[in-house]
Amino acid sequence: MVKLQGGDEYCRTMWRKLVDITMQQNQETYNRLNVTLTEDDVMGESLYNDMLPGIVSDLMARKIAQESEGAIVVYLDEFKNKEGDPMGVIIRKKDGGYLYTTTDIACAKYRHDVLHADRVLYYIDSRQHQHLMQAWTIVRKAGYIPQSMTLEHHMFGMMLGKDGKPFKTRAGGTIRLSDLLDEAVERAGKLIREKNSDMAEDELKQLAEVVGIGAVKYADLSKSRTTDYIFDWDNMLAFEGNTAPYMQYAYTRVASVFKRAGIDSASLTLPIILNDDRERQLAARLLQFEETITSVAREGMPHMMCSYLYELACLFSGFYEHCPILAAETEELRQSRLKLALLTQKTLKAGLDTLGIGTVEKM
């Protein structure tokens, strides 16, 4: 690590190879998962290497840090050790190596000085909370960022094995994400083939990819971010209940109604009428979409969107079953219900889009 941080040519060459191989595989996975990150968005911790000596020197000069047994340490009154003394946070080891804390101090400073961020959200394991709090305490003490700039740890729980213990990814005992995605697409393909035996192979393949990948993403995002949960292959790839395919199917139902009726949405010129309780409940839930978006943005909790979409799809299912749309008693009621269905479809699509999950026109 010391050689790498110091710019040793051999270490840097080998490190670069490892990074390139990793990022190439990551990009392939991002593309499959409909994640919009690209190479241009990558900023590894090595970016801050040149800043680290200056930060340590500055903290030393301002008496925020001091030398202790050859290492450079910041003692924080805000954190106590077992003896009740201020906890020492090492920012440079005695062998000259820098630590994650030093990098995170530089990272916060960079995000203010260069990126001009006013709100920074860190999505990191809950076990790293104290580490981040210590790094940010030092950042605040040094005045590297203004008080108005927020640093938020949006911690997440762990994915556990069926034994209730955290997955040890380095031990190699976990399922590879690429294999999970392949299995999801294969299962989705079989289900779609059962319902559409005459579907063209190209269309089936495209549908299976959207439905299978959506199922995996939704299974993860629908869990509260802060809680641990047990990985279960079958639950992850379920296509019934509170799942992405259930939402995708609700979306296709609306597309099917408009296709059967041969109606263009632009021809719906009459207002929405809410007579039936199911119409009122569906309309009220549609109006809460903006509130849901705001809550997700504020709290960083995607499962709120999943819960909203599931409730919306359930309400639409009740409306669809009990309120005739194309066979409505009057033209006014027919147009009103078509408009409600269309609004539901648009909202489902917009909500799934915020989760990076695609929609399909038929299933």
Side-chain angles (χ1 to χ4, degrees):
M1 181 58 76
V2 176
K3 282 186 175 182
L4 184 60
Q5 289 174 341
D8 179 86
E9 195 173 329
Y10 173 76
C11 283
R12 285 187 72 84
T13 302
M14 295 309 293
W15 165 78
R16 190 69 256 167
K17 283 184 180 179
L18 290 169
V19 170
D20 289 344
I21 290 166
T22 303
M23 293 314 298
Q24 182 185 344
Q25 180 61 48
N26 283 354
Q27 192 59 56
E28 288 174 15
T29 304
Y30 293 158
N31 295 344
R32 284 193 81 181
L33 287 170
N34 196 20
V35 170
T36 56
L37 292 171
T38 68
E39 219 176 296
D40 294 337
D41 302 304
V42 175
M43 288 170 60
E45 64 193 61
S46 58
L47 178 91
Y48 311 109
N49 265 0
D50 294 342
M51 295 173 65
L52 306 184
I55 282 173
V56 172
S57 298
D58 180 58
L59 294 174
M60 285 281 286
R62 293 163 59 195
K63 304 287 191 276
I64 295 171
Q66 61 190 70
E67 189 176 336
S68 175
E69 298 178 29
I72 307 300
V73 183
V74 177
Y75 288 97
L76 298 173
D77 292 324
E78 294 86 348
F79 299 87
K80 305 292 185 185
N81 59 23
K82 289 177 183 175
E83 289 74 40
D85 299 323
M87 191 177 284
V89 179
I90 299 172
I91 56 172
R92 195 182 76 198
K93 296 188 291 184
K94 60 183 177 183
D95 64 6
Y98 299 98
L99 289 95
Y100 282 128
T101 304
T102 331
T103 304
D104 279 324
I105 293 167
C107 172
K109 190 175 188 300
Y110 179 92
R111 285 170 175 170
H112 170 258
D113 295 351
V114 180
L115 300 182
H116 309 300
D118 51 21
R119 183 188 183 200
V120 187
L121 288 69
Y122 290 69
Y123 284 86
I124 300 173
D125 188 335
S126 55
R127 293 171 294 183
Q128 301 299 318
H129 186 66
Q130 181 172 282
H131 155 76
L132 282 173
M133 292 303 109
Q134 290 174 342
W136 296 348
T137 300
I138 297 169
V139 167
R140 298 282 187 197
K141 277 184 187 293
Y144 289 151
I145 67 169
Q147 286 301 320
S148 58
M149 178 176 164
T150 62
L151 300 171
E152 303 170 27
H153 180 197
H154 287 225
M155 63 183 83
F156 52 80
M158 292 174 287
M159 193 182 280
L160 310 174
K162 287 193 175 179
D163 58 1
K165 294 178 182 176
F167 275 149
K168 289 185 170 61
T169 49
R170 290 182 186 179
T174 52
I175 296 161
R176 293 196 313 167
L177 179 55
S178 57
D179 293 339
L180 177 66
L181 297 181
D182 289 343
E183 175 77 10
V185 171
E186 189 180 328
R187 288 195 187 197
K190 283 178 183 173
L191 278 171
I192 294 165
R193 174 63 78 206
E194 284 170 15
K195 295 180 180 182
N196 304 274
S197 56
D198 58 344
M199 185 178 283
E201 202 59 40
D202 285 353
E203 191 179 3
L204 175 69
K205 192 176 177 184
Q206 186 185 354
L207 264 178
E209 190 77 18
V210 175
V211 174
I213 300 293
V216 171
K217 287 190 75 170
Y218 190 91
D220 189 61
L221 295 173
S222 60
K223 310 289 190 301
S224 174
R225 171 171 54 74
T226 56
T227 57
D228 298 342
Y229 75 91
I230 290 173
F231 174 86
D232 185 294
W233 183 278
D234 291 320
N235 285 347
M236 182 70 82
L237 301 181
F239 291 91
E240 295 168 0
N242 185 11
T243 64
Y246 182 73
M247 257 61 78
Q248 290 167 327
Y249 181 63
Y251 177 91
T252 63
R253 267 182 154 182
V254 181
S256 171
V257 168
F258 276 83
K259 190 176 178 182
R260 282 204 317 272
I263 295 171
D264 186 278
S265 58
S267 66
L268 303 176
T269 55
L270 299 176
I272 290 175
I273 312 161
L274 303 175
N275 294 330
D276 190 285
D277 276 348
R278 287 185 174 83
E279 293 172 328
R280 283 192 283 270
Q281 288 169 2
L282 179 59
R285 201 72 182 114
L286 285 167
L287 287 170
Q288 291 168 334
F289 181 62
E290 182 183 355
E291 183 187 330
T292 305
I293 286 274
T294 305
S295 298
V296 172
R298 184 180 62 246
E299 307 295 336
M301 292 283 201
H303 80 280
M304 291 176 171
M305 179 58 72
C306 296
S307 298
Y308 170 82
L309 293 173
Y310 180 56
E311 287 175 33
L312 182 65
C314 288
L315 286 171
F316 175 73
S317 182
F319 161 77
Y320 183 86
E321 300 295 338
H322 296 92
C323 301
I325 299 176
L326 297 180
E329 298 154 18
T330 65
E331 178 59 20
E332 288 79 9
L333 197 54
R334 184 170 176 269
Q335 285 209 24
S336 172
R337 289 175 177 173
L338 279 167
K339 272 190 168 181
L340 266 180
L342 189 64
L343 280 171
T344 302
Q345 186 190 45
K346 285 181 175 179
T347 306
L348 285 170
K349 184 174 178 60
L352 288 170
D353 192 50
T354 65
L355 302 170
I357 294 173
T359 50
V360 290
E361 294 304 311
K362 67 176 182 178
M363 282 176 74

